[in-house]
């Protein structure tokens, strides 16, 4: 089913946060227990930035990092500035690490973090064809670039990660630092998978390592 998330609904979805801290923990999604051609469990879906349709499905793949399944945003004809988001339920953090594997191909794929609501979040998006990754900060709905780096995508799947500690943010590719940036307004928020604009994106092995996860 194609989903188009209204701004009010997204606000209610994303702003449901509290401030009680939980101990540090690691959460991992393999997607291998999810049903094929169904949305992944334990995720909420939203469209950020420009309006657009989005469709998240579990698919099988010939050689994903965790066989046999991966998750894909399959709606290819999307506006350039429209971000399709799959946000992990019941888990938020301000400081820690988040990573996923993305498959090389047409389109931009990446990670959301510190997602307070539909207008305030960080997103790193990598062009899986050229290997160029850009970290964006959205504040009150207005994007600003925090940093960028480039490394060729030489494998079928590449590991994209972000570490955050206060204002310090680092983007990693295959566990190697690609670039560093500063987040001027660090805040606790949800994290998840993201893809922007036209093209398909596939993800596997989504991992959150929260240093101080607020209780949702």
């Amino acid at each position: 089913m194609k989903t188009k998330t209204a701004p009010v609904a997204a606000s209610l979805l994303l702003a449901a946060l509290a401030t009680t801290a939980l101990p540090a923990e690691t959460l991992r999604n393999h997607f291998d227990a999810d049903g094929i051609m169904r949305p992944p469990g334990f995720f909420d879906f939203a469209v950020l930035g420009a309006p657009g349709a989005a469709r998240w499905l579990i698919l099988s793949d010939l050689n994903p990092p965790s066989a046999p399944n991966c998750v894909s945003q399959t709606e290819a004809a999307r506006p350039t500035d429209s971000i399709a988001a799959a946000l992990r339920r019941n888990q938020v953090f301000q400081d820690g690490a988040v990573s996923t594997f993305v498959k090389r191909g047409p389109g931009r794929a990446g990670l959301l973090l510190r997602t307070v609501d539909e207008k305030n979040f960080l997103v790193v998006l990598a062009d899986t064809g050229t290997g160029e990754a850009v970290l964006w900060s959205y504040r009150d709905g207005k994007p600003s670039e925090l940093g960028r780096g480039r490394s060729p995508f030489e494998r079928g799947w590449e590991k994209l990660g972000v570490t955050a500690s206060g204002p310090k943010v680092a983007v990693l590719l295959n566990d190697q630092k690609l670039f560093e940036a500063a987040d001027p307004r660090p805040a606790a928020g949800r994290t998840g998978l993201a893809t922007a604009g036209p093209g398909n994106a596939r993800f596997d092995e989504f991992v959150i390592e929260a240093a101080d996860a607020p209780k949702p």
Side-chain angles (χ1 to χ4, degrees), residues 50-70:
R55 192 183 190 199
W56 293 88
L57 294 175
I58 298 295
L59 303 176
S60 59
D61 197 278
L62 292 177
N63 191 28
S66 173
N69 295 351
C70 65

Side-chain angles (χ1 to χ4, degrees), residues 54-136:
R55 192 183 190 199
W56 293 88
L57 294 175
I58 298 295
L59 303 176
S60 59
D61 197 278
L62 292 177
N63 191 28
S66 173
N69 295 351
C70 65
V71 62
S72 177
Q73 197 294 116
T74 62
E75 184 66 35
R78 307 187 66 254
T80 300
D81 296 329
S82 180
I83 301 171
L87 292 155
R88 185 54 167 84
R89 200 174 297 155
N90 302 329
Q91 183 76 12
V92 297
F93 80 103
Q94 177 171 323
D95 294 338
V98 59
S99 65
T100 189
F101 284 85
V102 296
K103 189 171 184 178
R104 184 175 59 193
R108 291 180 292 158
L111 294 159
L112 282 156
L113 67 155
R114 295 178 171 175
T115 308
V116 177
D117 56 36
E118 81 280 1
K119 293 185 177 182
N120 297 276
F121 55 89
L122 298 183
V123 59
V124 58
L125 292 166
D127 185 317
T128 58
T130 67
E132 184 170 49
V134 183
L135 178 66
W136 297 91

Side-chain angles (χ1 to χ4, degrees), residues 200-211:
N200 300 115
R202 292 196 180 198
F203 306 83
D204 198 16
E205 282 288 300
F206 176 61
V207 179
I208 303 171
E209 298 175 273

